[in-house]
Each structure stands twice: as structure tokens, then as C-alpha cells.
Amino acid sequence: MRTFLLPALLALSVPAIAADYVQAPGSTLAFAGKYQGDVFVGRFPGFTTRLSFDPQRLQSSRLEVTIPMATATTRNPDYDGEMRGAAFFDAAKFPQATYVATRFRALGGNRYAADGSLTLRGVSKPVTLTFEWTPGARPVLFGRAAVPRLAFGVGGGQWADTGLIPDAIAVSTRVVLAPAP
């Protein structure tokens, strides 16, 4: 009996470690909103993701996303120039945004919430990413969040009018993952 009990107790004393992943090709990070009632959609093609995650060990999970702001595009040259400029992302002064989550919650099934901090334009605020987790050799994280743009100073001056552009900007991501090297 002791030969079985000792290894079991030792296994309980070792901290659980989540699996480490890096972003793989085929991943997307997009945003959407309205301008004067018309929907616009954009993306950040240069973002990178690192994830440490195990649904059975949420307490040891961590998500880190880096977003180069100069890559933001709506594929509309007029929107893109304004969006990357001083009134919105100010990509010259704030070249990247980051999102870091260290608190994860199970929402049932393969759904989770990552409570983290978004740093954008030098301002850090809490943002929750809700996501579906598809496990496998190349797992996929499909997530959504609402970002209150005015809390980060995005869209100052005349653009602060929520009648022109609502405060909440929808963010969605599909991150294909591979085991970290």
C-alpha cells in the first residue's frame, strides 16, 4: 500500500504546469464598429500570441498578445490613415498594444473567460476575452471581447462623439496554436 501512496502524494506536491503554445499560421485578430451607422471591419495582421493553457489547470494559465498598431487595416486608405494617426491609435507614438491575461474561468463546455489587461495608447484597463477552446494537436482559440475605445483615448476630439462611432468596438480572434518550441 505504501508503494502506491508515496508516489501519489509526491505527484500532488508538484505544481501543475499548463501546456505552452505559440501562434501558428492561419490566425486572425479583427475588430469591427460603426462609423455614422455604416459597419467597418479591420484587422491586425502582425499580431503574435503566446499561450500557456490547460483546461484542467486554469490557475496556471497565461495569455500574452502583442499587436503592432501600424499594421491595423480596414482596407480603406482614408480610414487607415486616420486610424493609425494621432486621434486614434497614434501608432507613431504607441507602436504596439498588449493584452496579458492571468486569470481564467470555466464557463461550461469548451468555453472560458480570460480576465486580463489591455494596454493601448499607454493606458492599461481590464478587458475580458471570452473564448471557445478546441483541443487537439493544433488547438484553436476562438475569442471575442468588447473594447471601450474612449477609455483608452482612441478617437479623441471630434471622434469622441459616440453618435459618429460608438464607444464599444467588437474584437474577435481565431488563434491557431502549435506547441511552443
Side-chain angles (χ1 to χ4, degrees):
M1 177 76 143
R2 278 204 253 175
T3 58
F4 294 111
L5 186 57
L6 185 58
L9 289 174
L10 288 174
L12 289 175
S13 67
V14 177
I17 298 174
D20 292 328
Y21 301 98
V22 294
Q23 181 179 312
S27 299
T28 59
L29 177 60
F31 57 92
K34 289 185 179 180
Y35 172 58
Q36 295 183 330
D38 292 330
V39 173
F40 65 86
V41 177
R43 60 187 180 89
F44 296 100
F47 81 107
T48 59
T49 306
R50 293 192 62 82
L51 175 67
S52 185
F53 185 73
D54 181 336
Q56 302 303 312
R57 296 176 180 92
L58 295 178
Q59 70 281 1
S60 61
S61 295
R62 182 178 178 86
L63 172 63
E64 297 176 12
V65 182
T66 302
I67 308 158
M69 301 312 290
T71 68
T73 182
T74 61
R75 296 188 181 153
N76 177 320
D78 294 333
Y79 284 8
D80 291 354
E82 191 69 34
M83 179 179 58
R84 293 178 192 144
F88 286 89
F89 293 148
D90 200 356
K93 187 174 180 182
F94 302 101
Q96 74 179 25
T98 58
Y99 178 73
V100 177
T102 56
R103 183 172 177 261
F104 288 72
R105 297 176 281 128
L107 300 177
N110 282 344
R111 295 182 51 243
Y112 300 88
D115 298 314
S117 179
L118 174 64
T119 301
L120 175 62
R121 288 184 54 108
V123 176
S124 296
K125 298 280 183 185
V127 171
T128 297
L129 175 75
T130 57
F131 66 94
E132 292 178 28
W133 177 253
T134 304
R138 295 183 70 82
V140 176
L141 180 154
F142 178 72
R144 296 184 185 278
V147 175
R149 68 180 179 88
L150 295 174
F152 295 93
V154 174
Q158 71 182 28
W159 303 112
D161 180 355
T162 56
L164 288 174
I165 303 171
D167 186 33
I169 300 297
V171 175
S172 63
T173 190
R174 180 181 178 273
V175 185
V176 179
L177 297 156

